[in-house]
């Protein structure tokens, strides 16, 4: 550290500032003078590091004053007496003038040989103590003049010409001197600058020769034998010039000296051959550079190979009824040396039992005598022998190899695969399971032997179905999903699948197994309320236990995932919850405390029983309708007219009116028996005298119905609106209640619910669907609705609503059994094969039964009743005219049968079916030797428009249909 001091500097004049850095964030740096060689002429501020003058004596010109200083971190204690500190540093202070000072005592740097010309190398800066401009000059010591230059004012050293580390005329180290001179004849000073040039990997290794060759190398030389040597050079230095070798053929290896050896047994069989490969020389630079050369190794052939069979085990099949001279198989062997090969059986000779082999060709046949193949298989050991013709003296060593021929005796493919456990398959798959989830492992057995008994599995795709919903491993029978199922969507609760097992015989035989996969539920649907908000009127004097309002939510999930539990809260006013409770299962809000306010606001949560549960909330607003049970009674219904003069004074009595409270009588009645002593009990009776104008409400109809609705109405749909008029004059308010009965038909399970509404001064009651309706389960309902007025005395009346369900076409015809039939070959066209049968749950009865129909007239329409197996099913056919006939109704209920017209249906051109009866007949005369089995797909359709979701109401022969198909396997026999 250097600085200057003016000769006449006053006391406390700053001359230098000490600066030390500490990377710690909690440092506490203090500065000290350790040794003073100035006679006390300077002091240092302990905290700021500022060095100042002391005393009034003038400083001497060009005299050097030296201080030794250090810095301590007094937050970093070494021991009890010491802190962390810097080493002692020398501070030189000169009186008057001194030469400029470079910031470093010497400068060194390193540059790569590929440094760009005119690029900055290093900055060499000096400080002027006289505050003058400094000029910089650069001079080379020894070689290198002109290689670098320096900015005269910036002190930045730049590369003046390009470098090449490999150029012997250029040094690798440049020794330079930089001089800093102050303007206007000031002082100057110099410093040494050393620049070292480093090598760059800019030269690739080069081989001495582009092509290396080795001749007459024996193919049986020992592994690791030296064959030839290659050599490459690299003009770079250090690791950039260190070379390692690699070869492209794993028959050979190369070491770091370039010596190539064989890494495997060489082979010159059949012809004198050569190996051609590439040797790569790679340096160790970063990145590495490479050079290549081609190597050819020429080898000589020797008779060192034995004949090789094309396979070690041959497994031909021969029919059990094969005759003399039947071809069994041909064995093939070759000798890599190029020798000729002859065949025979182990032990010598060309015959073995009933089999013979041709010595030259390797053909194996049955002999020309009577044949008796009474075993499942025969094992033959065959030999192949070379003759050494490939090479000079090759016949001195003869080579032999052997193979096994296992002759399998096949039987006639007269058994088809059978799924013995098919009736027990009831697999389940969870909805939402990922594609590829396992379903079940099916298994089919075939009693045939060999390939005739080998079974492979496949999925039978249903007609009109895009893709398959399941896949099966053709070898293991593992059935997996081929999609992600949605139980509440189009997939439904059950999905049918048909697996086919095909043996490998020729022609192959097939067996099928159809079963149903249950799609099990996951809790993926939250409850859904039928209203966004419930608003209801409540009578002020409603008694404790009164059913106030029923909220209703539905959940498409099944079992616990769709089972809903209701809970009640009062988030707006916590006190409201004291007045009401909710039945968890039904959703009825019940009064548990007398009402004393005009309005109550509640919130109902519907939660399913899934794990974890899903829930939904809805607000309930209850407005209390005041009912004054005992209004006062006027003495007169009308007062006046009262005549008064216009000029009467203020305070004059005009008239007097009077009202009295309604009369209430309280009595006490006693019941007493005639025993001895007699026992009795009393009861209080209260009689309110009411106005004659208070009459019970009057219904628009005493009986509503029959009302016909379709079974597929959605939950929340309105069935009918009913209305009763109040029996109290000028008081239209009434209250309705749907009375639950003791059976499902009388709304025991709340199949319907009631919703009250006001319209044009009247109060209506809308009856709505609360649970899905199913004609096939319950066909009619008998509901009772009670209505009360809002008078002082509650008077009520009841009405009956009859609801009849109409059947919709929502069931798919299902076949009653799986079919497998046989047909004799040669039978004439039109021969009956079998009869299929399908049943429609919508009311279709088996085709071979005669329907018993009776007609009942409903105004301009008819209903039909059919009686089957003791059931009583009723269907209404609206809009039909009096000309309706028995055949018309049969067409609507009939199941029709069709051969599926699809390229996949292999039997469609060979069979035909009766559309009404399901009987299947032949269309051709069959030849079993041409094809032994046919798979036939049959479709059943009902005869009415579809009411199922996503049917799009597309017509088919004038009417949309659902269909269900199954595969019918027909076998042709002798």
């Amino acid at each position: 550290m250097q600085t200057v001091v003016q000769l006449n500097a006053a006391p406390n004049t700053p001359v230098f500032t000490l600066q030390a850095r500490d990377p710690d964030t909690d440092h506490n740096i203090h500065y000290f003078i350790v040794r003073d060689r100035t006679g006390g002429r300077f002091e240092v501020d302990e905290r700021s590091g500022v060095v100042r003058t002391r005393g009034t004596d003038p400083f001497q010109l060009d005299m050097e004053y030296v201080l030794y200083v250090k810095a301590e971190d007094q937050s970093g204690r070494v021991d009890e007496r010491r802190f962390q500190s810097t080493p002692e540093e020398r501070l030189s202070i000169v009186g008057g003038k001194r030469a400029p000072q470079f910031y470093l005592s010497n400068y060194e740097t390193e540059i790569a040989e590929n440094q760009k010309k005119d690029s900055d190398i290093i900055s060499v800066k000096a400080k002027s103590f006289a505050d003058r401009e400094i000029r910089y000059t650069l001079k080379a010591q020894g070689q290198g003049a002109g290689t670098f230059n320096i900015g005269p004012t910036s002190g930045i050293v730049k590369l003046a010409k390009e470098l090449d580390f490999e150029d012997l005329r250029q040094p690798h180290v440049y020794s330079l001197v930089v001089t800093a001179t102050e303007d206007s004849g000031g002082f100057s000073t110099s410093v040494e600058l050393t620049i070292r040039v480093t090598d760059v990997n800019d030269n690739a290794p080069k081989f001495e020769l582009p092509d290396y060759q080795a001749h007459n190398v024996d193919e049986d030389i020992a592994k690791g034998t030296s064959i030839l040597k290659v050599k490459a050079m690299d003009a770079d230095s250090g690791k950039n010039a260190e070379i390692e070798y690699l070869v492209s053929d794993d028959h050979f290896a190369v070491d770091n000296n370039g010596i190539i050896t064989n890494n495997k047994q060489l082979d010159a069989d059949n012809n004198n051959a050569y190996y051609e490969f590439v040797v790569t020389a790679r340096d160790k630079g970063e990145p590495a550079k490479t050079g290549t050369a081609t190597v050819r190794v020429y080898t000589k052939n020797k008779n060192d190979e034995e004949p090789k069979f094309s396979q070690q085990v041959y497994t031909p099949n021969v029919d059990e009824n094969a005759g003399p001279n039947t071809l069994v198989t041909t064995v093939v062997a070759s000798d890599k040396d190029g020798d000729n090969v002859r065949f025979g059986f182990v032990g010598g000779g060309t015959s073995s039992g009933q089999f013979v082999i041709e010595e030259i060709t390797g053909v194996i046949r049955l002999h020309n005598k009577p044949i008796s193949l009474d075993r499942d298989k025969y094992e033959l050991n065959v030999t192949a022998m070379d003759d050494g013709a490939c090479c000079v003296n090759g016949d001195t060593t003869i080579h032999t190899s052997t193979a096994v021929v296992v002759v399998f005796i096949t039987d006639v493919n007269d058994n088809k695969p059978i799924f013995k456990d098919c009736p027990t398959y009831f697999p389940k798959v969870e909805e939402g399971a990922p594609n590829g989830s396992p379903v079940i492992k099916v298994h089919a057995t075939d009693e045939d032997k060999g390939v005739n008994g080998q079974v492979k599995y496949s999925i039978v795709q249903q007609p009109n179905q895009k893709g398959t919903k399941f896949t099966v491993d053709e070898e293991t029978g593992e059935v997996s999903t081929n999609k992600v199922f949605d139980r509440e969507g189009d997939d439904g609760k059950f999905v049918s699948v048909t697996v086919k097992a095909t043996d490998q015989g020729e022609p192959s035989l097939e067996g099928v197994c159809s079963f149903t996969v249950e799609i099990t539920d996951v809790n993926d649907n939250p409850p859904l309320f039928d209203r966004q908000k419930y608003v209801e009127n409540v009578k002020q004097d409603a008694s404790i236990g009164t059913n106030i309002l029923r909220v209703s939510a539905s959940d498409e999930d099944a079992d616990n995932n769709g089972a809903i539990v209701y809970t009640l809260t009062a988030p707006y006013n916590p006190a409201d919850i004291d007045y009401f409770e909710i039945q968890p299962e039904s959703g009825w809000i019940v009064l548990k405390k007398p009402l004393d306010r005009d309005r109550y606001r509640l919130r109902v949560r519907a939660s399913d029983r899934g794990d974890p549960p899903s829930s939904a909330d809805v607000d309930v607003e209850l407005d209390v309708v005041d009912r004054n049970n005992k209004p006062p009674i006027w003495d007169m219904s009308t007062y006046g007219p009262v005549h008064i003069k216009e000029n009467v004074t203020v305070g004059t009595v005009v008239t007097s009116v009077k009202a009295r409270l309604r009369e209430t009588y309280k009595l006490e009645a006693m019941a007493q028996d005639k025993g001895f002593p007699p026992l009795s009990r009393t009861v209080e009776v209260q009689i309110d005298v009411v106005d004659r104008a208070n009459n019970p409400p009057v219904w628009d109809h005493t009986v509503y119905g029959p009302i016909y609705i379709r079974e597929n109405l959605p939950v929340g749909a309105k069935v009918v609106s009913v209305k009763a008029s109040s029996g109290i004059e000028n008081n239209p308010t009434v209250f309705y209640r749907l009375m639950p009965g003791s059976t499902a038909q009388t709304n025991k399970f709340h199949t319907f619910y009631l919703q009250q509404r006001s319209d044009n001064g009247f109060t209506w009651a809308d009856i709505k669907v609360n649970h899905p309706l199913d004609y096939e389960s319950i066909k009619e309902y008998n509901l009772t609705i009670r209505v009360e007025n809002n008078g002082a005395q509650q008077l009520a009346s009841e009405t009956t609503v009859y609801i009849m369900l109409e059947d919709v076409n929502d069931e798919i015809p299902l076949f009653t059994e799986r079919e497998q039939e046989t047909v004799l070959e040669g039978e004439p066209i039109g021969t009956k094969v079998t009869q299929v049968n399908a049943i429609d749950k919508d009311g279709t009865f088996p085709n071979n039964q005669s329907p018993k129909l009776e007609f009942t007239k409903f105004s301009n329409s008819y209903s039909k009743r059919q009686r089957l197996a003791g059931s009583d099913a009723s269907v209404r056919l609206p809009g039909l005219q009096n000309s309706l006939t028995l055949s018309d109704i049969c067409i609507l209920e009939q199941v029709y049968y069709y051969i599926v017209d699809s390229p996949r249906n292999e039997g469609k051109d060979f069979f035909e079916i009766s559309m009404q009866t399901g009987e299947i007949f032949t269309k051709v005369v069959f030849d079993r030797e041409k094809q032994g089995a046919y798979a036939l797909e049959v479709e059943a359709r009902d005869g009415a428009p579809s009411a199922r979701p996503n049917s799009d109401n597309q017509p088919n022969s004038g009417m949309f249909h659902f269909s269900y198909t199954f595969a019918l396997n027909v076998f042709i026999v002798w």
Side-chain angles (χ1 to χ4, degrees):
M1 296 179 288
Q2 296 180 359
T3 188
V4 295
V5 62
Q6 297 298 321
L7 301 180
N8 58 350
N12 294 320
T13 300
V15 296
F16 193 77
T17 300
L18 301 175
Q19 289 184 328
R21 292 187 179 90
D22 190 326
D24 294 323
T25 58
D26 58 346
H27 60 256
N28 182 15
I29 299 177
H30 292 245
Y31 301 91
F32 302 96
I33 296 176
V34 181
R35 287 183 290 156
D36 188 346
R37 297 291 186 263
T38 69
R41 299 300 305 274
F42 299 93
E43 64 181 2
V44 62
D45 186 287
E46 183 177 339
R47 297 307 303 271
S48 67
V50 175
V51 179
R52 295 185 176 91
T53 60
R54 292 179 62 190
T56 59
D57 293 339
F59 293 93
Q60 297 181 22
L61 179 63
D62 295 334
M63 182 173 179
E64 183 181 26
Y65 300 89
V66 177
L67 297 175
Y68 291 90
V69 296
K70 72 173 181 178
E72 287 185 352
D73 178 8
Q74 296 193 359
S75 292
R77 186 177 292 276
V78 177
D79 53 33
E80 293 181 356
R81 294 182 297 174
R82 292 182 302 157
F83 298 97
Q84 295 175 355
S85 66
T86 65
E88 292 182 8
E89 298 289 347
R90 186 177 187 274
L91 171 60
S92 172
I93 306 171
V94 173
K97 302 177 181 180
R98 74 182 306 166
Q101 177 193 4
F102 282 98
Y103 288 95
L104 295 177
S105 59
N106 59 77
Y107 290 84
E108 291 187 6
T109 189
E110 191 175 82
I111 63 173
E113 64 172 315
N114 61 350
Q115 187 85 20
K116 297 294 184 182
K117 182 183 176 183
D118 295 326
S119 61
D120 294 349
I121 304 302
I122 191 171
S123 177
V124 181
K125 302 287 286 185
K127 172 180 175 60
S128 172
F129 294 102
D131 292 330
R132 295 182 177 182
E133 293 291 332
I134 294 179
R135 296 284 176 175
Y136 300 95
T137 57
L138 179 68
K139 182 179 181 181
Q141 295 178 331
Q143 289 182 306
T147 304
F148 302 93
N149 57 36
I150 189 168
T153 59
S154 66
I156 296 176
V157 179
K158 297 191 176 190
L159 181 63
K161 63 180 182 181
E162 293 182 349
L163 303 175
D164 185 0
F165 190 86
E166 288 74 40
D167 188 345
L168 298 179
R169 296 170 297 176
Q170 296 184 14
H172 294 165
V173 178
Y174 291 84
S175 296
L176 308 170
V177 175
V178 178
T179 301
T181 304
E182 293 177 337
D183 282 348
S184 303
F187 293 107
S188 66
T189 187
S190 298
V191 70
E192 290 186 356
L193 169 61
T194 302
I195 300 177
R196 291 181 174 84
V197 180
T198 60
D199 183 43
V200 174
N201 192 22
D202 55 356
N203 290 281
K206 292 184 179 180
F207 282 93
E208 293 178 337
L209 298 173
D211 191 312
Y212 294 85
Q213 297 183 5
H215 295 271
N216 295 321
V217 178
D218 289 337
E219 65 171 337
D220 59 349
I221 61 173
K223 180 181 176 182
T225 301
S226 176
I227 298 175
L228 58 84
K229 181 178 181 179
V230 298
K231 185 176 182 180
M233 301 293 291
D234 193 313
D236 291 317
S237 302
K239 286 190 174 294
N240 294 336
E242 293 181 15
I243 294 175
E244 59 182 358
Y245 298 94
L246 304 98
V247 293
S248 62
D249 191 329
D250 62 359
H251 282 86
F252 301 91
V254 62
D255 61 18
N256 287 336
N257 295 318
I259 298 176
I260 296 177
T261 59
N262 63 320
N263 198 37
K264 293 183 178 180
Q265 182 68 47
L266 301 183
D267 187 4
D269 297 332
N270 207 0
N271 288 297
N272 286 342
Y274 73 91
Y275 294 85
E276 181 176 316
F277 56 93
V278 173
V279 179
T280 300
R282 182 174 63 191
D283 63 31
K284 295 184 180 180
E286 184 61 42
K289 290 187 176 291
T290 60
T292 60
T294 302
V295 177
R296 293 181 179 85
V297 177
Y298 295 87
T299 58
K300 293 189 300 183
N301 189 20
K302 288 190 174 183
N303 187 18
D304 57 352
E305 297 286 348
E306 64 181 21
K308 297 290 184 182
F309 281 95
S310 60
Q311 55 195 76
Q312 283 302 112
V313 179
Y314 294 84
T315 56
N317 293 296
V318 175
D319 289 343
E320 60 182 345
N321 56 356
N325 294 317
T326 298
L327 174 66
V328 176
T329 189
T330 299
V331 294
V332 177
S334 60
D335 191 309
K336 294 177 69 175
D337 290 322
D339 292 332
N340 300 313
V341 178
R342 295 182 180 274
F343 299 95
F345 290 112
V346 172
T350 58
S351 64
S352 177
Q354 302 180 83
F355 301 90
V356 294
I357 187 170
E358 295 180 4
E359 186 178 26
I360 302 299
T361 64
V363 173
I364 299 176
R365 300 178 181 275
L366 294 175
H367 62 201
N368 56 6
K369 302 174 184 178
I371 302 299
S372 176
L373 302 175
D374 54 0
R375 285 189 272 167
D376 291 339
K377 65 180 180 180
Y378 294 84
E379 288 191 10
L380 307 173
N381 296 311
V382 296
T383 63
M385 180 182 299
D386 66 15
D387 60 0
C390 67
C391 316
V392 176
N393 299 324
D395 57 354
T396 59
T397 304
I398 300 301
H399 300 280
T400 303
S401 61
T402 62
V404 177
V405 178
V406 181
V407 182
F408 290 95
I409 308 304
T410 59
D411 64 347
V412 177
N413 189 20
D414 55 356
N415 293 285
K416 68 176 184 64
I418 296 176
F419 293 88
K420 294 181 180 179
D421 297 328
C422 186
T424 67
Y425 294 156
F426 299 102
K428 298 180 180 181
V429 172
E430 190 176 79
E431 67 169 326
N435 195 350
S437 297
V439 178
I440 193 175
K441 184 175 182 179
V442 299
H443 180 66
T445 57
D446 191 317
E447 295 182 359
D448 289 320
K449 300 176 182 179
V451 294
N452 292 336
Q454 295 176 6
V455 173
K456 289 191 176 181
Y457 303 94
S458 60
I459 296 292
V460 178
Q461 186 170 351
Q462 301 296 335
N464 303 324
Q465 178 180 322
K466 296 180 179 179
T468 58
K469 297 182 178 181
F470 300 91
T471 60
V472 63
D473 188 294
E474 68 172 7
E475 300 294 340
T476 66
E478 290 279 358
V479 179
S480 305
T481 61
N482 199 32
K483 63 170 294 185
V484 178
F485 288 93
D486 181 6
R487 186 178 183 274
E488 292 77 38
D490 296 338
D491 298 320
K493 303 176 183 178
F494 299 93
V495 181
S496 62
V497 58
T498 300
V499 181
K500 178 170 66 176
T502 306
D503 64 28
Q504 304 306 295
E506 185 59 43
S508 61
L509 301 181
E510 300 174 344
V512 295
C513 171
S514 295
F515 53 90
T516 300
V517 179
E518 180 181 355
I519 309 302
T520 60
D521 187 53
V522 296
N523 194 18
D524 56 352
N525 290 282
L528 180 65
F529 282 97
D530 59 355
R531 283 191 261 174
Q532 293 183 345
K533 182 179 181 181
Y534 290 86
V535 179
E536 194 74 22
N537 292 330
V538 183
K539 295 180 290 186
Q540 183 183 28
D541 60 345
S543 58
I544 295 176
T546 299
N547 288 345
I548 302 299
L549 169 68
R550 181 173 184 263
V551 298
S552 178
S554 60
D555 192 319
E556 294 184 356
D557 294 317
D559 301 327
N560 283 341
N561 294 334
I564 295 177
V565 177
Y566 300 93
T567 55
L568 190 66
T569 59
Y572 304 104
N573 184 355
D576 288 359
I577 197 64
D578 298 334
Y579 293 82
F580 304 93
E581 61 185 2
I582 192 167
Q583 295 177 355
E585 302 293 338
S586 68
W588 278 105
I589 297 175
V590 181
L591 185 65
K592 69 175 183 178
K593 181 179 177 181
L595 301 173
D596 54 14
R597 282 191 275 114
D598 294 337
R599 176 174 293 178
Y600 296 85
R601 298 182 69 185
L602 307 172
R603 179 168 292 169
V604 177
R605 170 163 293 183
S607 303
D608 58 32
R609 298 181 184 270
D611 184 17
S614 298
S615 63
D617 294 339
V618 69
D619 285 343
V620 177
E621 186 175 299
L622 301 177
D623 294 320
V624 178
V625 179
D626 184 26
R627 174 181 289 173
N628 189 352
N629 288 327
K630 298 178 178 65
I633 301 174
W634 292 101
D635 281 358
M636 300 176 61
S637 59
T638 304
Y639 292 87
V642 178
H643 299 279
I644 59 173
K645 294 180 179 180
E646 64 176 326
N647 60 346
V648 295
T649 60
V650 175
T652 302
V653 175
V654 177
T655 190
S656 297
V657 296
K658 184 178 72 172
R660 60 182 175 85
L661 294 176
R662 290 183 179 270
E663 296 183 4
T664 300
Y665 299 91
K666 290 187 178 180
L667 307 176
E668 187 177 89
M670 182 180 70
Q672 178 177 294
D673 63 23
K674 296 183 177 182
F676 183 81
L679 300 178
S680 64
R681 176 167 292 179
T682 61
V683 66
E684 183 180 278
V685 178
Q686 178 174 310
I687 300 175
D688 294 325
V689 179
V690 300
D691 195 346
R692 285 184 179 178
N694 186 9
N695 295 306
V698 179
W699 290 97
D700 284 1
H701 302 279
T702 56
V703 175
Y704 290 86
I707 297 166
Y708 294 94
I709 61 173
R710 295 164 64 89
E711 64 172 315
N712 62 345
L713 276 184
V715 172
K718 184 173 74 174
V719 176
V720 67
S721 296
V722 299
K723 178 171 69 71
S725 301
S726 174
I728 301 175
E729 188 176 350
N730 297 324
N731 186 353
T733 304
V734 292
F735 296 90
Y736 297 94
R737 189 154 66 100
L738 184 57
M739 310 296 290
S742 59
T743 64
Q745 287 82 357
T746 57
N747 210 41
K748 176 180 180 180
F749 302 110
H750 302 285
T751 308
F752 301 89
Y753 70 95
L754 185 145
Q755 186 173 326
Q756 193 165 305
R757 62 179 171 87
S758 297
D759 185 14
N760 199 22
F762 293 98
T763 304
W764 292 77
D766 293 335
I767 299 175
K768 295 188 175 183
V769 178
N770 195 37
H771 297 297
L773 306 174
D774 185 11
Y775 173 87
E776 285 70 40
S777 299
I778 299 177
K779 298 172 178 58
E780 59 186 51
Y781 293 87
N782 183 355
L783 308 182
T784 299
I785 303 179
R786 182 180 178 88
V787 63
E788 295 180 356
N789 63 16
N790 195 34
Q793 183 183 29
Q794 299 179 16
L795 299 181
S797 59
E798 295 181 349
T799 189
T800 301
V801 178
Y802 291 102
I803 298 175
M804 309 290 290
L805 296 191
E806 291 182 340
D807 187 27
V808 300
N809 195 14
D810 59 350
E811 298 289 343
I812 298 176
L814 299 176
F815 287 97
T816 57
E817 67 267 338
R818 306 182 183 98
E819 290 291 342
Q820 183 171 296
E821 296 294 342
T822 58
V823 173
L824 291 174
E825 64 176 343
E827 286 291 312
I829 295 174
T831 299
K832 179 179 177 180
V833 178
T834 186
Q835 182 176 8
V836 297
N837 185 34
I839 295 178
D840 190 327
K841 290 183 180 180
D842 283 317
T844 301
F845 46 84
N847 300 329
N848 57 359
Q849 297 183 18
S850 298
K852 298 178 181 179
L853 302 174
E854 59 185 59
F855 299 90
T856 305
K857 184 172 183 181
F858 286 97
S859 63
N860 291 327
S861 60
Y862 291 84
S863 73
K864 170 186 63 116
R865 294 187 178 274
Q866 60 183 30
R867 306 186 184 277
L868 293 173
S871 67
D872 187 353
S874 176
V875 178
R876 178 174 178 267
L877 306 175
L880 297 178
Q881 304 302 318
N882 295 343
S883 60
L884 179 70
T885 65
L886 176 61
S887 62
D888 294 328
I889 297 177
C890 289
I891 289 174
L892 289 174
E893 292 292 339
Q894 178 70 46
V895 174
Y896 301 98
Y897 302 92
Y898 302 88
I899 300 294
V900 175
D901 186 10
S902 167
R904 185 178 59 255
N905 188 6
E906 67 171 348
K908 65 173 181 154
D909 297 326
F910 304 96
F911 301 91
E912 60 185 0
I913 192 169
S914 171
M915 184 173 68
Q916 283 78 23
T917 67
E919 293 176 297
I920 297 176
F921 304 94
T922 61
K923 289 176 66 177
V924 300
V925 177
F926 291 101
D927 180 358
R928 183 187 176 279
E929 285 67 37
K930 184 177 181 181
Q931 184 167 339
Y934 297 84
L936 177 65
E937 290 185 1
V938 180
E939 180 181 27
R941 307 174 188 169
D942 61 20
S946 171
R948 292 173 65 86
N950 303 317
S951 64
D952 297 330
N953 202 27
Q954 295 297 319
N956 182 20
S957 299
M959 290 176 289
F960 183 83
H961 68 278
F962 335 115
S963 64
Y964 175 84
T965 65
F966 74 103
L968 173 66
N969 289 321
V970 182
F971 295 97
I972 313 303
V973 297
W974 293 284

